[in-house]
Amino acid sequence: MKLANVQEPVQIGAMTLPNRIIMGSMHVGFERLPDGVARLAEFYAERARGGAGLIVTGGAAVLPEGGMGEVYCNVYLDEHIEQLRVITEKVHQANGKIALQLFHAGRYAYKEATGLDPVAPSPLQAPINRWKPRELDASEIELTIAAFAAGAVRAQKAGFDAVEIMGSEGYLINQFLSPVTNHRQDDWGGDFLRRARFGIEVAKRVREAVGPDFPVVFRMSGLDLIPDSTSMEETLQFARMLEDAGVNALNIGIGWHESKVPTISMMVPRGAYVWVARQVKQAVSIPVIASNRINDVRHAEEILREGHCDLVSMARPFLADPQIVAKSVEGRYDEVNTCIACNQACLDHIFDGKVASCLVNPQVGREAEWAIVPAGVRKKVAVVGAGPAGLEAARVLAERGHEVVLFEKQTRIGGQLNYARQVPGKAEFNETLRYYRTQLARLGVEIRLGTEAEADALVAEGFAEVVIATGVVPRVPEIPGRELGHVVMYNEVFEQKAKVGNKVAIVGAGGIACDLSHLLVHNEVISAQTAEYLLSYRIVDEQTIHRLQASKRKVFMLRRGKHVGSGLGKTTRWATLAQLKQRGVEMLTQIEYKRIAPEGVYISVNDEEQLVPADTVIIAAGATPNQSLYHALTNRLPVHLIGGAKEAGELDAKRAILEGAQVGRAI
């Protein structure tokens, strides 16, 4: 596929970009580390070398009360200029262009991080912050506008090629615009024009401060996804006002952090919000940037070709593969390590106060020290198990020059990734498997499928070292009746070795059980495309469609503990559980198992026995490490234990790939 539109240069103000793919803003938190700014600079430089047309930094606070704390990027003092210059110099050495995002969190700012009370247009507490903000007075509003302008000037002096004003995702400017968060009745609130005034004044003052030629991008909210918030008509009017204020491009954000609608997780279809950018593009004449769940440059090419926008912003795809643009331009699409929108190592880490990384690319944040270097001594290495841990270990070992043989007792690679990819909304895991198949073939890794490695054979074949990535064995809890014929293990269901009835009780309610439940209540009798056809020709009505799409299966998830979905990420757990409840899955917690009988599972709730009716009982109660080969090889060969074979618990591809990457660099 020729990327004619992607590769067409584009002008933003006086700045010419070599292509139309932007690396969007992300908070990655590297600044918290001892060498944080240097690490952040190398992180951005690697993406510049990979072909990003423009990089937008994570937000840099224009005032201390609107930031994320002193250890993060800030731009409210002159002393910040030289710190930021480290980033621009590194990116420019890599022939890249970079914009600083001017940021104020408003009521989303955490007092624990800043030491200051959060501020907002109105004293309304955000549901995701335990601190109530205080209301800005008129003089403080003027000071805040001036701070945006001063921050832009500092960005200019630090060598940035542009600035982006953060006006979406429910941060301060967005809070002024929305009637949900702005209840003022003065010059800064009330009707739409007064609510819009703060954002427009920020844009005007920034433009005045940096001069007519310096590029100013405004990230505006195209869709708040908050009930009774800014209307689409107001959004388009705001876009036109920003153009009149001198903004050079509009980057369209989707949703607030407190929204109950998923916007960037794997369950969101690719490009689901491009239509919003298209509406803005039709309202203005300056370049418009589309974003959210666009993870393939070929998809970006289609979006641009169809005229939905002028540029495409990808954020997390640059975490997964810093070379995504360069590889795609060269036609090496199968070599791209695609972002699967799992959120597990990026957003979940940030919201837990950790440094961001990437499930499929743990080199993120370790660009310099984890650079692939040839092995000092080339060895013949066996990797046993082709799950995520083994796949990454084999890839890195081969990349470094070792002779690698990968053993897998199943007839295909992937391990328990083959379970995950079956779950509705998790098809992106197919991309990870495609990436590994391509890389192992490119690197000449010998793959022996359907082969269970044995200790004597490994020793006899002359392997110098062995990596054990044999995964886990499902755990069978001590419940009377577990031997009955209608009791099956979770792996048997995923491998389609067990027939499942219409009344199902799942023993366990962790991440595996949630995935199983989604799989079991998903009904493919009628596809979305077929439903659209039937409705458009009035063959059936919506009520009939809902009835056809409804699952006939009733699923119960059972847990001794209190919480369902433990092991799921903070940013996706709420949406996963909401979907399950919507599909009628019942979650029974803090129960005691009494026995399994032909008619179902007898449990005790508050010392009262009750029956959970089931014609199929599925055991999804965790797992234990499969270490038999490890013990058989100990004292015979150097062995390395990684992934589930090292530690079971919930299925954890993030830790598995990380450990595979580590051992691949250690041998």
Side-chain angles (χ1 to χ4, degrees):
M1 179 180 187
K2 189 177 180 182
L3 302 176
N5 292 280
V6 162
Q7 295 188 77
E8 184 181 355
V10 62
Q11 199 83 7
I12 296 181
M15 174 177 62
T16 302
L17 301 183
N19 64 60
R20 297 181 179 237
I21 303 295
I22 286 178
M23 175 178 158
S25 174
M26 293 174 283
H27 288 292
V28 289
F30 302 159
E31 308 96 309
R32 303 170 61 208
L33 303 174
D35 58 346
V37 176
R39 192 178 292 261
L40 191 61
E42 182 56 40
F43 165 76
Y44 288 133
E46 181 71 12
R47 274 74 196 164
R49 287 189 287 270
L54 174 68
I55 294 166
V56 183
T57 69
V62 299
L63 285 170
E65 65 269 23
M68 299 175 69
E70 281 304 309
V71 293
Y72 288 88
C73 276
N74 297 298
V75 69
Y76 55 80
L77 296 173
D78 288 345
E79 65 192 55
H80 296 144
I81 295 172
E82 291 308 310
Q83 298 169 15
L84 294 168
R85 197 188 303 280
V86 175
I87 295 171
T88 58
E89 288 179 349
K90 197 78 173 179
V91 170
H92 291 155
Q93 287 168 13
N95 297 317
K97 295 184 184 298
I98 186 163
L100 184 76
Q101 188 182 78
L102 304 172
F103 176 83
H104 194 304
R107 71 179 193 157
Y108 282 172
Y110 293 129
K111 187 173 182 177
E112 298 95 321
T114 65
L116 302 166
D117 289 329
V119 297
S122 298
L124 304 169
Q125 187 171 351
I128 59 173
N129 193 346
R130 66 190 187 94
W131 296 99
K132 184 178 180 180
R134 64 175 181 79
E135 181 173 299
L136 289 163
D137 64 31
S139 64
E140 289 174 317
I141 290 174
E142 288 289 349
L143 287 172
T144 304
I145 294 169
F148 273 96
V153 172
R154 293 188 186 101
Q156 239 181 339
K157 291 178 178 178
F160 285 93
D161 301 285
V163 291
E164 178 178 86
I165 300 167
M166 175 41 118
S168 70
E169 267 77 15
Y171 292 119
L172 183 65
I173 294 175
N174 213 168
Q175 291 162 26
F176 267 95
L177 184 64
S178 172
V180 173
T181 45
N182 186 345
H183 292 182
R184 304 174 74 100
Q185 292 300 321
D186 61 0
D187 291 342
W188 301 100
D191 60 26
F192 167 72
L193 290 179
R194 285 182 290 168
R195 285 187 278 111
R197 184 184 172 199
F198 180 77
I200 298 304
E201 283 299 315
V202 168
K204 286 180 178 178
R205 302 278 186 89
V206 167
R207 167 54 65 213
E208 291 169 5
V210 297
D213 297 326
F214 191 72
V216 176
V217 180
F218 195 103
R219 183 166 174 86
M220 62 172 286
S221 179
L223 205 61
D224 292 346
L225 299 176
I226 296 290
D228 304 315
S229 195
T230 313
S231 69
M232 181 56 70
E233 182 182 354
E234 290 172 335
T235 296
L236 298 181
Q237 187 177 348
F238 188 58
R240 288 187 286 265
M241 293 165 70
L242 289 168
E243 180 177 16
D244 292 340
V247 166
N248 298 117
L250 297 173
N251 191 358
I252 310 305
I254 302 293
W256 289 16
H257 290 310
E258 64 196 78
S259 170
K260 298 297 183 185
V261 181
T263 57
I264 57 173
S265 63
M266 197 186 301
M267 66 179 66
V268 179
R270 292 187 184 185
Y273 293 102
V274 169
W275 62 274
V276 182
R278 183 181 179 91
Q279 291 200 58
V280 177
K281 178 173 168 56
Q282 291 171 343
V284 298
S285 58
I286 54 177
V288 170
I289 305 162
S291 65
N292 286 63
R293 282 293 282 128
I294 304 167
N295 63 353
D296 189 315
V297 177
R298 289 169 293 187
H299 187 197
E301 173 69 18
E302 293 171 5
I303 292 167
L304 292 166
R305 185 177 62 238
E306 292 169 7
H308 297 309
C309 59
D310 302 285
L311 301 98
V312 170
S313 174
M314 297 180 178
R316 295 171 303 160
F318 279 97
L319 293 180
D321 196 330
Q323 298 286 320
I324 181 172
V325 175
K327 288 178 180 178
S328 298
V329 166
E330 294 169 8
R332 297 186 290 131
Y333 302 109
D334 282 349
E335 292 185 35
V336 172
N337 196 2
T338 303
C339 168
I340 60 173
C342 66
N343 291 2
Q344 291 180 38
C346 50
L347 288 177
D348 286 349
H349 276 207
I350 292 299
F351 282 109
D352 277 338
K354 302 175 184 175
V355 171
S357 186
C358 177
L359 180 146
V360 300
N361 178 25
Q363 190 171 355
V364 168
R366 306 175 176 95
E367 278 73 18
E369 64 266 43
W370 271 29
I372 297 290
V373 296
V377 178
R378 187 172 187 267
K379 298 178 179 180
K380 184 176 182 180
V381 183
V383 178
V384 183
L391 290 170
E392 179 65 5
R395 183 193 72 82
V396 176
L397 286 164
E399 193 85 62
R400 294 184 55 230
H402 291 298
E403 179 187 352
V404 182
V405 180
L406 178 61
F407 293 83
E408 171 53 54
K409 67 179 181 180
Q410 302 294 336
T411 57
R412 58 184 176 178
I413 68 167
Q416 300 205 32
L417 290 182
N418 287 312
Y419 299 169
R421 69 191 184 91
Q422 298 177 48
V423 178
K426 289 194 172 184
E428 293 285 13
F429 279 108
N430 286 309
E431 300 288 358
T432 304
L433 291 176
R434 180 265 309 150
Y435 167 74
Y436 279 118
R437 279 193 295 267
T438 301
Q439 292 298 326
L440 298 185
R442 179 181 70 85
L443 295 165
V445 173
E446 180 185 348
I447 304 175
R448 300 181 189 176
L449 297 175
T451 304
E452 187 160 2
E454 297 178 351
D456 290 343
L458 292 172
V459 173
E461 192 169 337
F463 286 102
E465 302 195 33
V466 180
V467 176
I468 306 293
T470 45
V472 300
V473 177
R475 187 178 69 85
V476 183
E478 296 291 325
I479 304 175
R482 61 188 180 280
E483 72 286 347
L484 293 173
H486 68 311
V487 180
V488 300
M489 303 302 296
Y490 72 84
N491 57 311
E492 295 176 295
V493 179
F494 280 118
E495 293 167 18
Q496 299 176 3
K497 295 177 180 177
K499 186 177 180 181
V500 180
N502 283 331
K503 292 183 292 182
V504 181
I506 300 177
V507 175
I512 299 169
C514 288
D515 277 353
L516 259 180
S517 298
H518 271 296
L519 183 64
L520 293 174
V521 298
H522 181 62
N523 186 3
E524 290 188 330
V525 170
I526 182 168
S527 68
Q529 188 175 3
T530 301
E532 184 180 357
Y533 160 76
L534 294 173
L535 286 169
S536 64
Y537 285 95
R538 296 184 175 85
I539 298 169
V540 296
D541 57 18
E542 285 195 18
Q543 187 175 2
T544 304
I545 290 292
H546 288 310
R547 181 172 54 79
L548 289 170
Q549 289 181 326
S551 174
K552 303 296 187 294
R553 187 173 277 140
K554 180 65 180 177
V555 174
F556 293 89
M557 289 199 296
L558 313 176
R559 179 153 236 176
R560 287 192 176 102
K562 185 177 182 180
H563 299 292
V564 174
S566 57
L568 296 175
K570 180 181 289 189
T571 60
T572 52
R573 178 177 177 270
W574 63 272
T576 298
L577 298 185
Q579 274 195 338
L580 289 174
K581 289 174 182 175
Q582 187 179 3
R583 291 180 175 271
V585 175
E586 290 194 38
M587 305 164 192
L588 305 179
T589 60
Q590 296 180 291
I591 60 105
E592 181 183 345
Y593 295 106
K594 305 303 288 185
R595 66 191 183 280
I596 300 173
E599 61 271 21
V601 182
Y602 285 91
I603 63 173
S604 176
V605 182
N606 297 324
D607 295 325
E608 289 188 12
E609 187 173 285
Q610 65 183 65
L611 170 67
V612 178
D615 48 31
T616 305
V617 178
I618 304 174
I619 306 295
T624 57
N626 180 4
Q627 297 182 348
S628 56
L629 181 62
Y630 172 76
H631 294 303
L633 280 171
T634 301
N635 299 325
R636 301 181 70 185
L637 281 175
V639 288
H640 308 266
L641 199 58
I642 62 172
K646 180 180 179 182
E647 180 185 342
E650 287 289 340
L651 300 183
D652 191 349
K654 178 181 69 174
R655 179 175 60 83
I657 293 176
L658 172 64
E659 291 178 0
Q662 289 170 326
V663 79
R665 287 166 170 83
I667 293 175

